Amino acid sequence: MKMPTIEDALEISGIEVLHPGGYELSRRIGEIADIKGKKVLDVACGRGAFACYYARNFSTEIIGIDINPEMVKASVDRAKKDGVENLTEFRVADALSLPFPDNSFDAVIDECAVGLTSDPQKCLDEMVRVAKPGGDIVIHESIWLKHFPEDAKKEISVRMGTVPYALDEWVTMMEKAGASDIWTEDWSSIDRSLVKIREDRVLTRLEDMYSFKEKYFIIFPKILFKYGIKGIVYLNESNKMLMPLYYNGTLGYYLIKGKKM
Ligand SMILES: C[S@@+](CC[C@H](N)C(=O)[O-])C[C@H]1O[C@@H](n2cnc3c(N)ncnc32)[C@H](O)[C@@H]1O
């Protein structure tokens, strides 16, 4: 039986969990991709927190797509709550087959979700395809910073539910997709990235991502119902294996931008 990934737990929690770097990283994207007043696609937009952030803070006209209808509904609700319905649109769609013609957007962003598709190269190909010539393609992802055995990398990827690559591998994939002028920025420092993963509070330890109540009254009951006790044991093991890799610098986090020529 398939076991729950860390990404599965995050999605079924129903809790607004942001990506590493939180709003600071997204503000940086807004600046480097110069999205003020532009037409932008947010691929795998999750619960819409960032699409709405760009609309509110950069007056960006933004379309968010996500494969999960519940995420799309949450995004529509979020846009209403944030008063940015006029600048946002959300649709159910697959990042591997974007329902837009070539050259449609001034910039295309995917925050923390290329590595969790079944074909990250195809996802990047699609992002570049729908960007206008001269448009920016921006992603941020987990990166292998130190040598780690290939088998162990595979196991960690399965447990995370997303595949980290080395930085040069991400750059090569971006170039293969048709992006050039690749620019990268290191967001690996725990203080800068992983502690900013919650919207409502700054973490002091990664282990505190979920509160006691969220863990024991929301996530664990749902995991138990869907995967049984083995699911809980597996998820605990995954967290114990993953956390040290960020603390000891084996895994890091990078912002990567390229331009469609
Ligand atoms: C880690 S969350 C990232 C959400 C958001 N970008 C953020 O930074 O908070 C991953 C999201 O990717 C979505 N997703 C996974 N595979 C997808 C695919 N093939 N196409 C579109 N969305 C996908 C999931 O439904 C989930 O909402």
Side-chain angles (χ1 to χ4, degrees):
M1 183 195 183
K2 186 191 171 294
M3 285 288 112
T5 64
I6 290 173
E7 174 66 24
D8 288 334
L10 202 136
E11 288 179 29
I12 69 169
S13 74
I15 297 158
E16 185 60 85
V17 178
L18 310 176
H19 48 241
Y23 287 110
E24 255 172 58
L25 178 49
S26 295
R27 186 176 67 230
R28 183 81 176 125
I29 292 176
E31 290 161 5
I32 58 161
D34 189 20
I35 61 171
K36 202 167 176 55
K38 304 250 177 84
K39 187 177 172 194
V40 172
L41 177 66
D42 181 6
V43 177
C45 63
R47 296 189 172 89
F50 298 100
C52 294
Y53 172 82
Y54 295 126
R56 273 195 329 268
N57 293 280
F58 293 89
S59 304
T60 306
E61 187 192 324
I62 191 147
I63 298 185
I65 68 105
D66 199 283
I67 203 158
N68 181 344
E70 281 173 31
M71 294 292 185
V72 171
K73 183 179 176 310
S75 298
V76 171
D77 293 345
R78 173 91 191 209
K80 274 188 206 143
K81 197 173 122 221
D82 287 7
V84 288
E85 292 153 280
N86 56 332
L87 284 170
T88 55
E89 183 190 326
F90 296 97
R91 296 192 201 171
V92 176
D94 187 347
L96 302 183
S97 174
L98 292 171
F100 306 104
D102 298 357
N103 312 324
S104 297
F105 297 92
D106 297 310
V108 182
I109 299 171
D110 182 314
E111 305 199 63
C112 196
V114 178
L116 59 75
T117 64
S118 58
D119 187 346
Q121 181 65 60
K122 174 81 176 141
C123 179
L124 293 172
D125 293 348
E126 278 294 273
M127 290 176 69
V128 174
R129 179 184 68 75
V130 300
K132 290 180 187 168
D136 283 322
I137 291 85
V138 189
I139 65 172
H140 45 84
E141 289 286 338
S142 289
I143 307 275
W144 291 110
L145 294 176
K146 287 186 189 164
H147 172 75
F148 201 58
E150 284 306 316
D151 284 359
K153 273 188 184 174
K154 277 196 192 117
E155 174 161 16
I156 290 292
S157 302
V158 169
R159 286 177 177 270
M160 287 172 82
T162 188
V163 183
Y165 291 93
L167 185 57
D168 61 338
E169 291 175 310
W170 278 116
V171 171
T172 303
M173 286 196 288
M174 288 278 279
E175 287 173 342
K176 201 170 161 214
S180 53
D181 290 347
I182 309 292
W183 170 95
T184 66
E185 190 168 73
D186 188 357
W187 283 72
S188 304
S189 132
I190 301 269
D191 288 353
R192 194 181 193 193
S193 61
L194 290 154
V195 297
K196 308 257 169 68
I197 207 158
R198 291 290 306 231
E199 186 166 32
D200 51 347
R201 57 192 160 88
V202 174
L203 306 184
T204 48
R205 304 180 323 144
L206 292 180
E207 293 80 346
D208 299 334
M209 179 150 116
Y210 300 112
S211 69
F212 180 89
K213 205 171 141 196
E214 288 165 354
K215 207 165 163 182
Y216 293 100
F217 291 92
I218 302 176
I219 301 173
F220 279 4
K222 286 188 185 170
I223 296 282
L224 198 60
F225 181 73
K226 198 162 169 197
Y227 301 92
I229 191 73
K230 279 190 184 157
I232 296 198
V233 173
Y234 181 85
L235 202 55
N236 275 337
E237 264 172 23
S238 300
N239 279 313
K240 279 198 190 122
M241 287 166 81
L242 183 66
M243 300 294 176
L245 298 179
Y246 283 109
Y247 281 123
N248 71 23
T250 302
L251 270 173
Y253 205 75
Y254 264 73
L255 174 58
I256 306 172
K257 178 171 83 77
K259 207 171 261 308
K260 174 168 175 177
M261 286 328 223

